[in-house]
Amino acid sequence: MTESFEYAALLQLIGERSAAFRSAVAAAPSLDAPVPSCPEWTLFDLVQHLGTGQRWWAAIVAAGKAEAPPAKDTGEVPRELKALLAWYGESTDLLLSALRKAGPERQCWTWWSAGVSPANAWGVARRRLHEVLVHTYDAQLAADALQPMPADLAIDGVAEFLDTCNSTPAAWPHEAATIHYHATEGRSWLLALDGTGAWPAPLPDDAVPASASATGTAEELLLFVWGRLTLSDLHIEGDKQVFEHLIAWEPEE
C-alpha cells in the first residue's frame, strides 16, 4: 500500500477540508446553483450527499466489524443555508467523534474489503478525507471560487483512489495491461490489470514501459480518476483504449 498520513493527521485534515467545503457553499450564489462536475446536482444536493455520507460512515465505524452496513440516516435535511451548514458541521463532528473513539485499527464493514485499502477506521478516515477534498472542488466550482488543492493531499488522493477504487481481485476482462500515472510533483504509480484483478503499487525505478501512461499535476490526476477531468486534460502515451476500458469497467467480485 502507498504510504499515507498518520491517523491523527487524517482526522485533522478532514476537519480542515470540511471547513473549506462549508466556506465554498457559503460563498455560492444559491443552494440551487448547479454543480458542473456533478451533472443534475445542485449545491444543496452536494451538501446533502456529503453530510449524509459522513453520518453513515460514523455509524459504520461505531458498529465495528459487521457483515453489512447499518441503514443510512433518512432524516430531513434543512434547506435554509445557515441551518444546512450547521447540519453539515454536525455530520462531520459525528464522523470525527466516531473515528477518534474507534482508533485506527478498529475493523468495520467497507465496500472495498477485497482490495488493497484496509477495512478499518484508518481506511475509512482516508476515504472520507478524499471524498471531502474532491467535493470541496465541486463546491468551489459551483461557487466560481476554485482554489488549488494542497499538493500533498492530491498526491495521497491519487494513491487512495487506486488503493480503494482500482483495487480488486475481479478478473480484468481484457488483455493484460499496465498503467503508469506520473504526477509532475515527482510521484508515480503503477496499476497492473490481468486475470488476477487490478493491483496498484508505487512505480519502481526499473519499471518496464507501460501499456499506457498519464502525466499531469497530482490535482489533475486526482480529478481525472474521480471523473472530473478527461483524457484530453492529461498527457497520454501508449494505448488510450486501456484507459477507456478501465473507465467503463464495473467489476463484479
Side-chain angles (χ1 to χ4, degrees):
M1 188 197 311
T2 304
E3 292 184 4
S4 181
F5 297 100
E6 296 292 334
Y7 192 64
L10 289 173
L11 303 194
Q12 179 178 342
L13 289 166
I14 289 172
E16 291 176 359
R17 289 296 92 196
S18 292
F21 177 80
R22 292 196 304 274
S23 295
V25 173
S30 168
L31 289 174
D32 293 324
V35 182
S37 47
C38 300
E40 301 183 4
W41 275 16
T42 65
L43 195 57
F44 172 83
D45 296 326
L46 182 66
V47 179
Q48 181 181 46
H49 165 77
L50 189 55
T52 300
Q54 305 295 54
R55 290 167 183 260
W56 189 49
W57 282 101
I60 288 170
V61 170
K65 189 173 182 179
E67 294 296 321
K72 290 187 177 181
D73 184 352
T74 58
E76 186 174 354
V77 179
R79 287 187 168 270
E80 188 272 325
L81 178 60
K82 184 176 180 180
L84 179 65
L85 292 177
W87 173 86
Y88 175 75
E90 181 183 70
S91 302
T92 301
D93 290 343
L94 288 170
L95 174 66
L96 291 174
S97 177
L99 289 169
R100 290 190 188 99
K101 186 174 181 179
E105 301 300 326
R106 184 171 190 178
Q107 293 181 318
C108 59
W109 175 90
T110 66
W111 51 260
W112 59 80
S113 59
V116 171
S117 194
N120 60 18
W122 184 90
V124 170
R126 191 185 187 204
R127 171 105 288 246
R128 296 314 298 174
L129 167 61
H130 295 299
E131 282 272 348
V132 178
L133 177 66
V134 173
H135 287 321
T136 298
Y137 164 86
D138 296 329
Q140 291 175 347
L141 192 63
D144 193 24
L146 277 178
Q147 298 180 11
M149 290 181 183
D152 57 342
L153 295 192
I155 288 169
D156 187 63
V158 177
E160 191 279 336
F161 189 94
L162 298 178
D163 288 347
T164 305
C165 300
N166 285 161
S167 170
T168 175
W172 173 244
H174 306 284
E175 182 179 349
T178 55
I179 292 174
H180 292 175
Y181 293 95
H182 302 289
T184 55
E185 291 87 350
R187 296 291 292 274
S188 296
W189 302 269
L190 161 72
L191 180 66
L193 303 159
D194 58 27
T196 69
W199 304 110
L203 185 66
D205 294 335
D206 59 350
V208 299
S211 307
S213 68
T215 301
T217 65
E219 179 174 343
E220 289 170 339
L221 291 174
L222 178 62
L223 293 174
F224 168 69
V225 297
W226 274 79
R228 271 60 177 175
L229 297 182
T230 68
L231 289 168
S232 63
D233 296 306
L234 302 172
H235 177 68
I236 304 297
E237 294 184 349
D239 186 359
K240 185 181 293 187
Q241 191 174 50
V242 175
F243 283 109
E244 294 169 348
H245 285 324
L246 180 61
I247 292 168
W249 188 33
E250 297 182 357
E252 295 182 4
E253 298 175 6

